[in-house]
Amino acid sequence: MVSRVVNIRPDDLLLVSTVRNEKVRLPWFLRYYRDLGINHFLFVDNDSDDGSREYLAEQADVSVWATSAGYKRSRFGVDWVNWLLMRYGHGHWTVVVDPDEFLVYPFCDTRPLRALTDWLDASSIRSFSAMMLDMYPKGPISQHPYREGQDPLEIANWFDSGNYTMTRNAAYGNLWIQGGPRARMFFTDNPERAPALNKIPLVKWDRDYAYVSSTHMLLPRGLNLVYDEWGGEKASGCLLHAKFIDTFTQKAQEELARKQHYANSHEYRAYQEGMAASPDFWCKWSEKYINWRQLEILGLMSKGNWA
Amino acid sequence: MSVGFVMLCHTALDRAAQVARHWAERGCPVVIHVDRRVKRTAFDRMRQSLEGVADIRFSTRFACEWGTWGLVAATQAAATLMLRDFPGVRHVYLASGSCLPLRPVQELVAYLDARPRTDFIESVTTEDVGWTVGGLNIERFTLRFPFSWRKQRHLFDSYVRLQRRLGFRRRIPKGLVPHLGSQWWCLTRQTLSTILESPDRAEHDRYFRRVWIPDESYFQTLVRQVSANVESRSLTLSKFDFQGKPHIFYDDHLQLLRKSDCFVARKIWPQADRLYRTFLSDDAGGQASGEPNPGKIDRLFAKAVERRTKGRAGLYMQSRYPRANWENGMTAAPYSVFEGFADLFENFDIWLGKVAGTRVHGHLFAPDRVAFAGGETVYNGALCDAPALRDYNPRGFLGSLIWNTRGERQCFQFGPGDRQKIAPFLARDPNAQISVISGAWAVPLFHANANFGEIRKQAARLQKIEAAHLEVLRAADAKAKVRIWTLAEFVENPMEPLQTIIDEISPRSLRRLTEAPRMADLTGFGQFLQNLRNQGMQPVLMGDFPAGDDPRPLTTRRGRPYLVK
């Protein structure tokens, strides 16, 4: 464990993440979020043996905790994240993302994250929605090897623009969003098993809050009301999910062997089968990523009343 | 020197100091009021940073909670100090710590010099304001507000309700006509001093101390007593959103702000380095053009508010999930549903695509697959033809299709053989144009190569489904544009209804239909229906086809049944 939390100042923007053998992704990840204006990173390292922990420990704006407990036993990392947030997140705007998730919000090319959180503060908004958008390359995934330090969105720069469905989860009040390339490719027979894409990764944290399941939903329930019910649009962003780059095939096998992942590894088993056949998500209606304005026009995210 | 600035500051004091220095160094005196709730150390730091700059004063500090008298008291004190210490000042400009001058000071000075007796203050009677939040207009002046709106919202609201119920009213002092307006004004020495030195000031202050948000009404009301030359607008560009909080300007607004020709804008994000750097340098401005013209910015913010309150019609997404009846458009655009047409006419979809010049799908809700136009397996937005995905959320599927193809009208076939879960949605959607030839599903059965027992069973099943469906379409809450013909009616005269439907789909074409779609052969259809009857089934939805009496127009004019010209 390397803790630099004493350096955290009262209004710092914090980022919390769990990693396992993500060394190759970390340099770009840190760079991306430093550029957005994250002041301090809090990592949980789940038993990496690829040097992730050592790399993180060297970074001046990073604190890292090590664990070798099972991912599943900790409810897919949520317990670790909640613990860190409770200890260090209180009163801060906090971003909770995985190392393959890149937050995009309205005006993110001209305004730092602090501009957004200031505006959210002024608008008395405590939580900000950013739906997960699965990104993929054109052609088989193995065709485009990823170099450490490279922007993964240079490779995985296509997405599905309009095949998402949503329902309201009565128990927690959140929306349950499914769809995208994974549903289209791997879950055509059992769509109810397709992964959830709704995420609320940006929250003005309070020690009384908790993530319930990954960052899909929160308690208290009011934090999940990131959508307008009277016809209007609230401001929202997207989490560009650059999971599908060439480390994936190996990783899926690894995860399956460990049988640690979500829902009895249904998801990963489906990937395995799908990937073995033809690991190409691209279709002629795939959309090539340009910028947040494009996502806004497509209706995947919204400026709300932020102008 | 003709203009002096009063600045009310409570946060980002470094930016406020930067602006104050800018004005003072260009010959405009500045009086700074810092909210009493700001810490001593921060205040001292600001004072120190401005040490040595001539013509800057700090006025007595009041606590300025939003919506309370403190802001007026602070303004009075600072303005009094300004008038006392700087006798050369003719106009006093009230600004905040988050204001930023957009045009060189000389241009403002010249503008005011040309209007030496004009008071610039937005001042509107309570009947005429449309922008107050919470519905409190005249009641701001006639009720009491002992509770904090920010910290005791519940008490605030219930006390207002209680007073309304009891019919409580404060008396408005004689001679005062309540006016409201932006708190950022620019008043002449004569007007301002008349207000501040008025013999009735104590009485006015006592009254306004208990008015709600007095900083938007004190000067705005009193100026009407003393000035004959009120220009009812603010020289400060300041826009409010639907919650009544000011819109904030960022670096990416630079060009908009520059082109607005406004003198001062608020509120600026404290970290908008580029805005501060650009507008506080002396070569800002340049192409001076007379009157402020914030039209573009007005539109930008008006659009933002509309996006927040109305949203985009037919869009369902992570931050827009309207409740029933609040959709403001259940779907994004009009579309057409054809029921029975593909059964009665051969290659109906191809014919329709040609005459209407639009995209025509097959049975989108067929049980075995989604029949996209052209037999596509993936469609706009990467919609997938897998029936399970569609059936998982039919509304979502249709909503996505219409959203993804906005700008291009969608038509699709529907019938009792399809998945019916979507039907109630279609019936309620005002964007749906639904045309039904009831009983037409019997035509393919008539032509089917199958045992009659099986056909009879199918017919009974389809008729039951369609009967229930027609009931939904005819329900009182159906908002779709529904037209229903029986098969018999339609066969009798097919061109007129087709023309009506096509005209609605592409109203601009205004072409008369010259080519009819090819109708299926109905020779012996009456007997077929009679056979069904003989087997104990009662076919009713297709209308009247007497056995042995085949529809005449069909047999004689098959292929080109009618020419309307």
Side-chain angles (χ1 to χ4, degrees):
Chain A
M1 179 192 126
V2 178
S3 172
R4 298 187 176 88
V5 290
V6 289
N7 298 339
I8 297 176
R9 282 164 297 140
D11 60 346
D12 271 0
L13 301 173
L14 308 183
L15 183 147
V16 179
S17 185
T18 56
V19 291
R20 177 182 165 79
N21 290 340
E22 311 272 13
K23 165 77 177 55
V24 69
R25 288 179 181 271
L26 288 173
W28 177 264
F29 177 81
L30 290 172
R31 183 176 151 192
Y32 183 88
Y33 282 102
R34 278 174 187 146
D35 286 352
L36 286 190
I38 293 293
N39 303 102
H40 198 88
F41 295 83
L42 306 138
F43 281 98
V44 177
D45 179 73
N46 180 15
D47 216 10
S48 294
D49 53 15
D50 69 341
S52 292
R53 197 179 336 146
E54 293 74 11
Y55 175 78
L56 289 172
E58 287 165 12
Q59 310 296 317
D61 52 357
V62 169
S63 298
V64 55
W65 287 261
T67 173
S68 54
Y71 195 57
K72 198 168 181 178
R73 275 242 305 279
S74 76
R75 297 193 304 137
F76 312 104
V78 141
D79 290 348
W80 301 326
V81 167
N82 278 332
W83 182 80
L84 283 182
L85 286 169
M86 192 181 67
R87 282 294 303 272
Y88 305 110
H90 183 74
H92 291 273
W93 279 99
T94 54
V95 177
V96 179
V97 287
D98 285 338
D100 55 7
E101 295 172 345
F102 298 93
L103 178 64
V104 165
Y105 52 87
F107 306 101
C108 60
D109 47 2
T110 50
R111 301 179 196 172
L113 190 58
R114 172 82 62 192
L116 175 63
T117 57
D118 280 357
W119 179 78
L120 292 170
D121 273 330
S123 312
S124 315
I125 300 171
R126 300 174 296 170
S127 55
F128 183 80
S129 171
M131 165 188 152
M132 195 142 82
L133 197 61
D134 288 339
M135 309 296 291
Y136 48 84
K138 183 175 180 178
I141 283 167
S142 52
Q143 232 174 50
H144 311 272
Y146 174 73
R147 280 180 288 105
E148 185 170 321
Q150 187 185 10
D151 178 358
L153 297 172
E154 280 175 11
I155 298 172
N157 53 2
W158 296 84
F159 62 95
D160 285 11
S161 69
N163 56 8
Y164 302 93
T165 58
M166 52 210 72
T167 48
R168 197 169 166 276
N169 173 0
Y172 289 97
N174 63 297
L175 290 186
W176 188 260
I177 306 180
Q178 291 168 297
R182 281 185 279 176
R184 168 165 65 82
M185 297 278 287
F186 304 145
F187 296 92
T188 49
D189 292 328
N190 46 356
E192 65 288 347
R193 287 208 183 274
L197 303 175
N198 47 296
K199 289 237 170 185
I200 305 176
L202 178 61
V203 177
K204 176 77 171 273
W205 202 259
D206 185 287
R207 61 171 69 88
D208 291 336
Y209 297 171
Y211 279 112
V212 177
S213 142
S214 174
T215 46
H216 298 309
M217 49 201 184
L218 285 145
L219 278 174
R221 296 168 83 242
L223 296 169
N224 297 324
L225 291 179
V226 289
Y227 53 95
D228 189 278
E229 297 181 272
W230 312 105
E233 294 175 28
K234 291 188 179 178
S236 57
C238 278
L239 276 186
L240 305 184
H241 189 211
K243 179 189 191 115
F244 304 105
I245 51 178
D246 78 337
T247 57
F248 174 76
T249 316
Q250 186 203 337
K251 184 142 179 137
Q253 268 156 11
E254 203 181 293
E255 300 282 348
L256 194 66
R258 283 160 44 86
K259 292 211 170 152
Q260 287 280 318
H261 230 279
Y262 186 69
N264 222 352
S265 298
H266 266 289
E267 192 183 329
Y268 273 91
R269 201 162 294 155
Y271 295 155
Q272 277 264 301
E273 288 158 15
M275 301 302 270
S278 165
D280 184 0
F281 289 100
W282 193 87
C283 71
K284 78 171 192 183
W285 289 107
S286 295
E287 201 78 38
K288 189 166 188 179
Y289 179 70
I290 304 169
N291 56 21
W292 69 267
R293 282 184 196 274
Q294 168 198 30
L295 301 183
E296 223 259 341
I297 290 166
L298 289 169
L300 291 165
M301 57 184 269
S302 179
K303 289 184 284 193
N305 55 324
W306 202 27
Chain B
M1 181 39 61
S2 63
V3 60
F5 291 90
V6 167
M7 287 179 81
L8 305 180
C9 309
H10 67 105
T11 53
L13 298 185
D14 51 331
R15 288 302 192 188
Q18 208 181 339
V19 173
R21 174 186 290 271
H22 174 86
W23 278 327
E25 285 178 349
R26 280 152 193 80
C28 299
V30 179
V31 176
I32 298 174
H33 175 271
V34 177
D35 190 333
R36 197 150 98 216
R37 296 171 304 171
V38 170
K39 282 209 184 82
R40 184 85 216 171
T41 47
F43 177 64
D44 287 342
R45 218 173 314 127
M46 182 183 195
R47 271 190 100 124
Q48 273 163 24
S49 77
L50 290 171
E51 229 159 68
V53 185
D55 295 344
I56 287 189
R57 301 281 188 279
F58 285 87
S59 64
T60 319
R61 296 172 62 190
F62 294 84
C64 298
E65 194 191 335
W66 182 81
T68 64
W69 173 253
L71 280 156
V72 178
T75 310
Q76 289 174 328
T80 307
L81 183 61
M82 172 71 76
L83 297 177
R84 190 196 71 196
D85 278 18
F86 303 101
V89 164
R90 195 183 57 231
H91 273 98
V92 176
Y93 198 122
L94 182 60
S96 84
S98 51
C99 283
L100 181 65
L102 304 183
R103 288 169 67 174
V105 182
Q106 309 86 278
E107 288 183 26
L108 176 61
V109 169
Y111 188 86
L112 293 174
D113 280 349
R115 297 155 181 84
R117 303 189 55 85
T118 308
D119 295 299
F120 295 91
I121 178 166
E122 191 185 31
S123 165
V124 186
T125 60
T126 51
E127 292 85 42
D128 297 319
V129 286
W131 40 259
T132 49
V133 168
L136 291 168
N137 291 337
I138 185 67
E139 286 175 323
R140 289 184 182 199
F141 298 91
T142 59
L143 301 183
R144 287 180 182 276
F145 302 93
F147 300 109
S148 161
W149 188 77
R150 287 254 157 107
K151 292 180 203 141
Q152 303 160 297
R153 180 78 61 90
H154 184 69
L155 280 172
F156 182 98
D157 288 341
S158 26
Y159 197 59
V160 165
R161 271 197 304 274
L162 179 71
Q163 293 177 79
R164 281 176 183 162
R165 198 165 325 133
L166 297 178
F168 174 83
R169 287 179 81 85
R170 288 182 73 199
R171 197 183 56 80
I172 300 170
K174 220 166 59 201
L176 288 191
V177 182
H179 280 68
L180 296 168
S182 160
Q183 65 264 59
W184 312 113
W185 43 250
C186 179
L187 298 176
T188 60
R189 169 179 290 271
Q190 264 193 24
T191 300
L192 192 53
S193 57
T194 315
I195 292 173
L196 294 174
E197 291 159 13
S198 159
D200 299 328
R201 174 160 160 194
E203 193 205 341
H204 292 156
D205 287 8
R206 211 165 33 243
Y207 170 73
F208 276 99
R209 204 177 278 274
R210 308 230 178 282
V211 163
W212 173 233
I213 323 183
D215 51 319
E216 287 181 0
S217 61
Y218 181 83
F219 290 97
Q220 291 74 1
T221 299
L222 294 177
V223 76
R224 294 288 177 181
Q225 307 285 89
V226 300
S227 169
N229 208 348
V230 172
E231 176 96 5
S232 180
R233 65 184 162 98
S234 173
L235 292 179
T236 302
L237 170 66
S238 173
K239 293 289 158 196
F240 292 87
D241 75 0
F242 76 118
Q243 294 172 308
K245 79 185 154 48
H247 280 294
I248 299 165
F249 292 105
Y250 302 91
D251 282 347
D252 47 38
H253 290 121
L254 178 65
Q255 294 308 327
L256 267 179
L257 287 173
R258 198 175 252 161
K259 285 180 194 145
S260 74
D261 285 329
C262 293
F263 291 106
V264 176
R266 107 178 268 273
K267 169 176 196 176
I268 311 291
W269 189 47
Q271 294 178 51
D273 294 341
R274 195 155 147 244
L275 291 187
Y276 278 99
R277 210 170 42 236
T278 308
F279 288 113
L280 294 185
S281 73
D282 274 323
D283 40 294
Q287 66 264 34
S289 54
E291 287 293 333
N293 175 25
K296 261 203 173 144
I297 290 176
D298 284 349
R299 280 195 294 280
L300 177 79
F301 289 139
K303 262 174 141 170
V305 170
E306 197 184 307
R307 170 72 44 108
R308 177 65 187 83
T309 52
K310 283 213 186 92
R312 288 170 277 183
L315 176 64
Y316 296 80
M317 46 95 75
Q318 55 173 327
S319 52
R320 181 180 202 266
Y321 195 73
R323 295 185 180 196
N325 300 321
W326 286 90
E327 295 94 346
N328 175 33
M330 291 167 67
T331 44
Y335 57 96
S336 302
V337 186
F338 290 90
E339 308 189 14
F341 288 72
D343 296 327
L344 179 60
F345 299 107
E346 292 164 17
N347 296 324
F348 176 72
D349 47 349
I350 296 169
W351 175 84
L352 181 62
K354 219 172 354 168
V355 297
T358 175
R359 206 61 79 95
V360 183
H361 303 279
H363 285 262
L364 285 182
F365 293 90
D368 56 332
R369 73 174 281 250
V370 181
F372 287 122
E376 301 276 0
T377 55
V378 189
Y379 210 67
N380 290 45
L383 275 176
C384 178
D385 71 342
L389 274 180
R390 172 201 65 200
D391 296 340
Y392 183 51
N393 191 335
R395 275 188 64 163
F397 169 82
L398 182 67
S400 295
L401 177 72
I402 304 298
W403 172 260
N404 294 343
T405 56
R406 52 200 192 283
E408 180 197 57
R409 188 176 185 117
Q410 304 295 302
C411 302
F412 63 92
Q413 320 300 325
F414 191 69
D418 291 333
R419 296 268 187 249
Q420 297 292 307
K421 215 171 135 194
I422 190 67
F425 178 84
L426 296 177
R428 283 202 307 118
D429 184 4
N431 274 331
Q433 179 208 42
I434 306 177
S435 311
V436 186
I437 306 176
S438 72
W441 43 263
V443 178
L445 285 182
F446 166 54
H447 289 290
N449 172 28
N451 295 336
F452 199 74
E454 183 55 32
I455 288 176
R456 187 208 160 284
K457 224 169 86 191
Q458 277 297 325
R461 188 178 72 91
L462 295 176
Q463 173 155 280
K464 198 171 152 203
I465 294 172
E466 189 171 75
H469 175 58
L470 292 179
E471 217 164 281
V472 171
L473 293 183
R474 288 179 175 130
D477 66 340
K479 297 218 173 61
K481 189 169 276 179
V482 178
R483 289 197 183 83
I484 302 170
W485 299 269
T486 64
L487 180 60
E489 280 170 355
F490 203 90
V491 162
E492 194 66 32
N493 174 17
M495 285 312 268
E496 231 176 79
L498 283 175
Q499 181 77 56
T500 314
I501 296 165
I502 304 293
D503 284 349
E504 244 175 53
I505 293 177
S506 46
R508 267 160 304 172
S509 74
L510 284 179
R511 270 181 302 149
R512 303 303 298 174
L513 288 178
T514 51
E515 193 193 345
R518 198 179 155 91
M519 203 181 277
D521 185 1
L522 292 183
T523 316
F525 186 66
Q527 186 57 50
F528 169 73
L529 295 182
Q530 186 55 46
N531 292 347
L532 284 174
R533 275 185 213 106
N534 297 345
Q535 293 275 329
M537 190 234 161
Q538 188 65 274
V540 288
L541 296 178
M542 48 290 292
D544 212 15
F545 283 91
D549 183 15
D550 293 323
R552 260 162 299 119
L554 283 175
T555 45
T556 50
R557 301 184 200 171
R558 185 165 184 269
R560 188 173 276 247
Y562 222 75
L563 213 62
V564 185
K565 187 102 194 189

